[in-house]
Amino acid sequence: MKEIRGRFAPSPSGPLHLGNLFCGLLSWLSAKKQNGAWVLRIEDLDPLRSYPEQVESCLAALRWFGLDFDEGPEKEGLCAPYFQGARTALYQQAFEKLTAKGLVYPCFCSRAELHAASAPHLSDGSVVYSGRCAGLTREQAAEKAKKRPPAFRLRVPDETIVFEDGVYGEVRQDLRAECGDFILRRSDGVFAYQLAVTVDDALMGMTEVVRGRDLLASTPRQLYLYRLLGYKPPRFYHIPLLLDENGARLAKREGALGLAALQKRFKTPEKLLGRLAFAAGLIDRPAPLTAQELAREFSWEKLKREDVRLPPGFYKP
Ligand code: GLU
């Protein structure tokens, strides 16, 4: 196995937009610059929000941009499978390990109860759990389980997790006050992102994780899981978000331009890569270039820390 291993982990819930590609690009650049391996993992954890055709379009987009992966779908390596949907047994093992430590409890709270007006909200829109179900006795839980299947939460300690992000520097989070006991498995049996991503990044030998800064608040939870499960954590690089010309965040559901539209406008990926890299501060003029050429010049220091707003005319052919 190569010493450096990076990954791109898109969820096939909608078409890949430029923001996802920006993330894939940076992760690829960082791995390639260090002669490392780059892994594609499809995060189809939630069967209700995963579409096979989106996997195809993701593969097509990566191909067009020249972001070749060393392991992933249709390129099985040592860490197969590369679809989260096929890795449930691994999440179950980790879940059982945490349960055996006495750190997992069932939670019967409804959405409405969780989002009660008094609940403090996290930056990612989730709420700090009140601990309402933390003290249920076995009998009380069994009684409640007759009416509705529970979700399962992990008890967190009163502790501040501190880590050094490769882009944003020192990040601190008080687990209990700013996060609370968090979900490991949903009431429909689907394992939570926090658990699955930690298990996968660890078992796939990732040494670096590059992703949007919208996931910065998740990382302390994951670091806590790394510790409990006895895994060595990777280095994290959270990257600025990509904003459209009006300053709004690019998002799948808002119909940000998909691959076909980008191909139509730009004809070649080099032109788009050049403009994108320039907007992000990676190169000093918006000249067309390939991903390989960009990799030669890449360094994390060049990347802007503030969110990257696409300039007017960005999409002009
Ligand atoms: N699957 C997540 C997403 O598409 C990314 C998770 C990660 O990179 O940790 O937003």
Side-chain angles (χ1 to χ4, degrees):
M1 244 190 216
K2 286 199 170 177
E3 215 172 297
I4 301 290
R5 287 173 64 81
R7 52 58 152 192
F8 181 42
S11 306
S13 54
L16 225 60
H17 57 71
L18 206 53
N20 306 120
L21 280 168
F22 181 52
C23 179
L25 174 68
L26 286 168
S27 149
W28 184 89
L29 289 171
S30 179
K32 293 293 145 175
K33 175 78 188 198
Q34 302 169 83
N35 195 25
W38 195 59
V39 177
L40 175 65
R41 181 175 70 234
I42 303 296
E43 302 217 318
D44 57 347
L45 197 57
D46 187 344
L48 299 176
R49 297 184 60 230
S50 299
Y51 309 98
E53 64 274 20
Q54 299 305 346
V55 177
E56 288 310 313
S57 88
C58 167
L59 293 173
L62 296 180
R63 230 176 283 128
W64 192 60
F65 277 93
L67 305 181
D68 53 323
F69 51 90
D70 302 284
E71 293 165 39
E74 296 165 19
K75 213 169 182 185
E76 306 283 290
L78 285 177
C79 303
Y82 294 89
F83 285 84
Q84 285 193 323
R87 298 176 65 82
T88 314
L90 299 168
Y91 312 143
Q92 181 66 33
Q93 279 168 18
F95 180 79
E96 283 166 15
K97 199 166 167 185
L98 298 168
T99 306
K101 287 179 187 281
L103 293 172
V104 180
Y105 65 87
C107 171
F108 299 89
C109 293
S110 66
R111 260 190 99 73
E113 283 161 344
L114 294 175
H115 289 263
S118 57
H121 280 66
L122 289 173
S123 55
D124 63 4
S126 60
V127 289
V128 178
Y129 184 56
S130 64
R132 197 161 175 263
C133 291
L136 291 178
T137 63
R138 207 176 273 270
E139 293 70 35
Q140 286 169 326
E143 200 49 44
K144 281 180 178 281
K146 287 182 191 154
K147 294 202 200 86
R148 53 153 64 213
F152 287 89
R153 287 184 185 271
L154 182 74
R155 265 179 233 283
V156 299
D158 191 5
E159 179 186 330
T160 299
I161 301 274
V162 184
F163 74 98
E164 188 68 22
D165 184 72
V167 175
Y168 290 103
E170 189 182 280
V171 176
R172 313 173 70 89
Q173 191 186 73
D174 180 334
L175 272 186
R176 187 166 294 163
E178 294 177 73
C179 165
D181 296 347
F182 59 91
I183 303 252
L184 293 178
R185 212 181 87 178
R186 296 189 332 206
S187 61
D188 61 0
V190 173
F191 286 102
Y193 158 72
Q194 308 293 356
L195 181 67
V197 79
T198 303
V199 168
D200 287 345
D201 285 336
L203 298 186
M204 291 183 164
M206 292 306 144
T207 59
E208 52 184 52
V209 163
V210 176
R211 60 186 176 202
R213 70 159 180 80
D214 51 326
L215 287 168
L216 197 53
S218 285
T219 304
R221 267 170 275 183
Q222 292 170 22
L223 285 168
Y224 181 51
L225 286 170
Y226 274 92
R227 190 205 299 165
L228 293 176
L229 295 168
Y231 301 142
K232 184 171 182 284
R235 177 138 171 83
F236 290 96
Y237 295 86
H238 290 86
I239 61 166
L241 301 179
L242 216 52
L243 309 177
D244 68 15
E245 293 151 333
N246 305 315
R249 187 178 160 194
L250 292 181
K252 288 180 198 174
R253 60 186 176 281
E254 277 149 26
L257 292 187
L259 178 65
L262 290 172
Q263 286 174 320
K264 205 162 156 210
R265 292 197 191 199
F266 286 93
K267 304 287 188 289
T268 68
E270 287 81 12
K271 200 166 174 183
L272 175 53
L273 282 173
R275 284 191 197 172
L276 187 59
F278 175 69
L282 299 179
I283 48 177
D284 48 24
R285 53 193 194 94
L289 82 183
T290 63
Q292 294 285 355
E293 285 163 342
L294 196 50
R296 266 176 243 136
E297 308 197 19
F298 178 74
S299 89
W300 280 108
E301 284 71 49
K302 292 182 187 167
L303 178 70
K304 288 184 182 167
R305 265 49 175 173
E306 65 274 22
D307 288 345
V308 177
R309 186 165 170 167
L310 300 178
F314 180 87
Y315 290 112
K316 279 227 181 76

